[in-house]
mmCIF file of all heavy atoms in Angstrom:
data_model
loop_
_atom_site.group_PDB
_atom_site.id
_atom_site.type_symbol
_atom_site.label_atom_id
_atom_site.label_comp_id
_atom_site.label_asym_id
_atom_site.label_seq_id
_atom_site.Cartn_x
_atom_site.Cartn_y
_atom_site.Cartn_z
ATOM 1 N N TYR A 399 98.026 92.246 43.930
ATOM 2 C CA TYR A 399 98.464 91.201 42.972
ATOM 3 C C TYR A 399 98.604 89.866 43.658
ATOM 4 O O TYR A 399 98.104 88.839 43.179
ATOM 5 C CB TYR A 399 99.783 91.637 42.330
ATOM 6 C CG TYR A 399 100.416 90.570 41.443
ATOM 7 C CD1 TYR A 399 99.970 90.396 40.136
ATOM 8 C CD2 TYR A 399 101.420 89.752 41.932
ATOM 9 C CE1 TYR A 399 100.557 89.406 39.332
ATOM 10 C CE2 TYR A 399 102.003 88.787 41.137
ATOM 11 C CZ TYR A 399 101.581 88.619 39.835
ATOM 12 O OH TYR A 399 102.122 87.647 39.039
ATOM 13 N N VAL A 439 98.092 111.208 78.379
ATOM 14 C CA VAL A 439 99.407 111.251 79.029
ATOM 15 C C VAL A 439 100.194 112.522 78.678
ATOM 16 O O VAL A 439 100.916 113.053 79.516
ATOM 17 C CB VAL A 439 100.229 109.999 78.703
ATOM 18 C CG1 VAL A 439 99.543 108.745 79.209
ATOM 19 C CG2 VAL A 439 100.517 109.895 77.213
ATOM 20 N N GLN A 479 86.506 80.962 65.096
ATOM 21 C CA GLN A 479 87.456 81.926 65.618
ATOM 22 C C GLN A 479 87.225 83.337 65.050
ATOM 23 O O GLN A 479 87.597 84.314 65.670
ATOM 24 C CB GLN A 479 88.881 81.489 65.310
ATOM 25 C CG GLN A 479 89.295 80.250 66.103
ATOM 26 C CD GLN A 479 90.582 79.685 65.586
ATOM 27 O OE1 GLN A 479 91.329 80.344 64.883
ATOM 28 N NE2 GLN A 479 90.843 78.439 65.914
#
Side-chain angles (χ1 to χ4, degrees):
Y399 173 82
V439 298
Q479 291 169 17

